[in-house]
Amino acid sequence: MQDDDSFVYDEASGEWISAADAAAAAASAGTGVEVRDAVGNILADGDQVTLIKDLTVKGAGQTLKRGTLIKSIRLTGDAQEIDCKFDGIKGLVLRAEFVRKR
């Protein structure tokens, strides 16, 4: 059963729009952001990346060494940030300029 009276807030326009219109706009827009790694390769959800520089992780008291493999990244919608999972670090977000696609 679909509720035709549901509305969602569109942050881009600052207005309430119907859920059907929001779904159609999201489907036609896609991600819209092209994320590139340090050498210019286009990144996508699920890619594996390797760090090209030692990075100190704030709040975790840990350093990720150059050459560390990060599996199954997710794009965040920002052209320079990717969401990652790594053992012992929750909510890791890396800048695309510090990774290379594998």
Side-chain angles (χ1 to χ4, degrees):
M1 182 173 161
Q2 187 176 6
D3 185 10
D4 294 331
D5 295 332
S6 62
F7 287 88
V8 293
Y9 184 74
D10 182 26
E11 292 183 14
S13 66
E15 298 177 353
W16 289 92
I17 59 174
S18 71
D21 290 343
S28 67
T31 58
V33 177
E34 188 174 87
V35 180
R36 293 186 178 265
D37 67 358
V39 293
N41 297 322
I42 296 175
L43 297 175
D45 285 339
D47 283 346
Q48 294 182 356
V49 295
T50 304
L51 295 179
I52 62 168
K53 179 181 177 179
D54 290 351
L55 298 175
T56 304
V57 181
K58 295 179 181 179
Q62 192 173 359
T63 300
L64 297 175
K65 300 293 183 183
R66 188 176 102 203
T68 301
L69 178 66
I70 306 290
K71 297 179 182 178
S72 186
I73 66 168
R74 288 186 311 163
L75 303 181
T76 61
D78 185 349
Q80 287 299 313
E81 294 181 349
I82 56 174
D83 190 24
C84 310
K85 288 185 180 178
F86 191 74
D87 295 335
I89 303 174
K90 189 183 257 187
L92 179 64
V93 177
L94 295 175
R95 302 270 306 170
E97 64 189 284
F98 299 123
V99 299
R100 180 182 72 225
K101 186 174 181 177
R102 198 164 160 137

